[in-house]
């Protein structure tokens, strides 16, 4: 029904259908003065998740007083004119993907997976079929939580496509909410290994910054000075590799206190010690073309960031027992590490 609601901008929302898009217009009330605009929209649009509202804002669908706004955290003011477009999303169904999952633990409530690098966690633009979620649908699609976004059944947290290691999957809504609450309260412990360029200083420490979406590339994140969400990464240096036949590299361990998008990669790049193989977050380093060693060849052949989610610890949703799981380093990571140790 494309019926047009009465235009009463001060007190009522207006829903229009234009070019298959839903347009919402309203004037900010005195009650909503200085509230985040994504929160205001979330209160008015109960049928749309906060994450979708944020995504729509970040992709240019919000105008405040006819000015395009890309920050979901933007504070609205009394009597601001809001124009929000909800684009029609591509309709598709999750197709099962015949992919062998590396399951290291499973019971009635959850699955612990060891993810290989090179596969995305959930469907998205450019890849709607060959993801961990599609593989889970093939494995046991009827036994996954559905409290998250529609095309992320069971997914409680994520790893980047080219990061390997452990993730948790919820098989029912109770388990999902329980695990999500643990992530929110920071009682889930996650430890990562990474090989980085150079020697990080100090060799052990804590990186505590704000992280926000990049102002130059909306697909990336960056450290914020005054805007962003607090992000804390604890790190320690395990080994330092230096020699005539290879550039200076270090093996480090990172323990997350928060779980922001791309957090470890952004933080290490901020420190000037990007992860080896990271094509998105990287500093300029000395060329290794003239380094005559098989180590140089291995480094040149690295096609992903050498970041691995090594261990995860959490409370089981049903019995509150503390569980901990660990994962061996993948072959590309391990092969280079052995070469570095023997140089």
């Amino acid at each position: 029904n494309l019926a047009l609601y009465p235009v009463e901008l001060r007190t009522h929302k207006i829903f229009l259908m234009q070019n298959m898009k839903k347009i919402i217009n309203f004037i900010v009330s005195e009650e909503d003065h200085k509230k985040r605009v994504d929160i205001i929209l979330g209160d008015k649009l109960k049928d749309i998740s906060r994450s979708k509202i944020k995504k729509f804002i970040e992709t240019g669908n919000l105008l405040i007083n006819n000015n395009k706004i890309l920050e979901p955290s933007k504070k609205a003011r009394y009597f601001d004119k809001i124009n929000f477009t909800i684009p029609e999303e591509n309709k598709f169904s999750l197709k099962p993907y015949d992919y062998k999952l590396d399951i290291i633990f499973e019971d009635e409530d959850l699955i612990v997976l060891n993810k290989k690098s090179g596969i995305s966690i959930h469907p998205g633009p450019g890849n709607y079929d060959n993801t961990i979620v599609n593989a889970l649908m093939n494995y046991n699609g009827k036994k996954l939580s559905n409290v998250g976004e529609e095309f992320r059944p069971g997914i409680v947290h994520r790893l980047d496509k080219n990061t390997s290691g452990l993730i948790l999957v919820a098989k029912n809504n109770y388990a999902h909410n329980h695990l999500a609450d643990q992530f929110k309260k920071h009682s889930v412990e996650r430890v990562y290994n990474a090989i980085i360029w150079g020697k990080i200083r100090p060799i052990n420490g804590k990186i505590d910054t704000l992280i926000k979406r990049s102002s130059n590339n909306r697909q990336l994140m960056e450290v914020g000075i005054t805007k962003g969400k607090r992000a804390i990464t604890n790190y320690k240096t395990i080994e330092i590799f230096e020699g005539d036949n290879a550039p200076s590299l270090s093996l480090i361990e990172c323990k997350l206190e928060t779980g922001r998008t791309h957090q470890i990669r952004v933080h290490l790049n901020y420190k000037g010690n990007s992860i080896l193989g990271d094509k998105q977050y990287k500093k300029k380093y000395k060329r290794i073309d003239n380094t005559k060693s098989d180590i140089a060849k291995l480094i040149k052949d690295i096609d992903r960031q050498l970041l691995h989610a090594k261990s995860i610890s959490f409370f089981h949703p049903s019995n509150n027992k503390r569980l901990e799981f660990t994962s061996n380093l993948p072959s590309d990571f391990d092969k280079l590490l052995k070469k570095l140790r023997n140089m």
Side-chain angles (χ1 to χ4, degrees), residues 114-115 159 162-166 191-195 254 264 304-311 326-330 333:
N114 188 30
K115 186 186 94 66
L159 292 177
N162 289 323
T163 296
S164 55
L166 300 175
V191 177
Y192 293 71
N193 278 142
I195 294 180
C254 294
I264 294 175
R304 60 102 171 189
Q305 64 265 10
L306 286 186
L307 179 63
H308 179 69
K310 179 180 73 170
S311 71
T326 59
S327 166
N328 293 329
L329 292 173
F333 200 127

Side-chain angles (χ1 to χ4, degrees), residues 226-242:
T226 59
K227 293 183 178 180
K229 294 181 179 179
R230 191 180 183 193
I232 303 172
T233 304
N234 296 286
Y235 69 88
K236 66 179 179 180
T237 300
I238 308 299
E239 295 178 73
I240 296 172
F241 306 101
E242 292 182 295

Side-chain angles (χ1 to χ4, degrees), residues 80-92:
D80 276 349
K81 181 181 177 181
I82 306 294
N83 179 288
F84 185 57
T85 301
I86 305 171
E88 184 183 40
E89 296 191 275
N90 292 328
K91 300 295 182 183
F92 65 95

Side-chain angles (χ1 to χ4, degrees), residues 11-22:
T11 56
H12 294 281
K13 293 175 285 183
I14 304 168
F15 295 88
L16 305 172
M17 292 298 292
Q18 297 178 357
N19 298 323
M20 301 306 293
K21 294 180 180 180
K22 184 185 286 186

Side-chain angles (χ1 to χ4, degrees), residues 119-131:
I119 183 168
S120 299
I121 294 289
H122 56 75
N127 181 15
Y128 290 101
D129 300 326
N130 302 325
T131 74

Side-chain angles (χ1 to χ4, degrees), residues 273-300:
N273 302 95
S274 302
I275 298 173
L276 188 63
D278 197 332
K279 295 176 175 60
Q280 293 177 305
Y281 299 99
K282 59 184 178 181
K283 299 288 185 183
K284 291 183 179 178
Y285 293 96
K286 184 174 72 174
R287 290 169 65 87
I288 59 172
D289 292 345
N290 297 324
T291 303
K292 297 178 180 178
S293 74
D294 49 359
I295 292 176
K297 184 179 185 309
L298 279 176
I299 291 173
K300 290 175 188 176

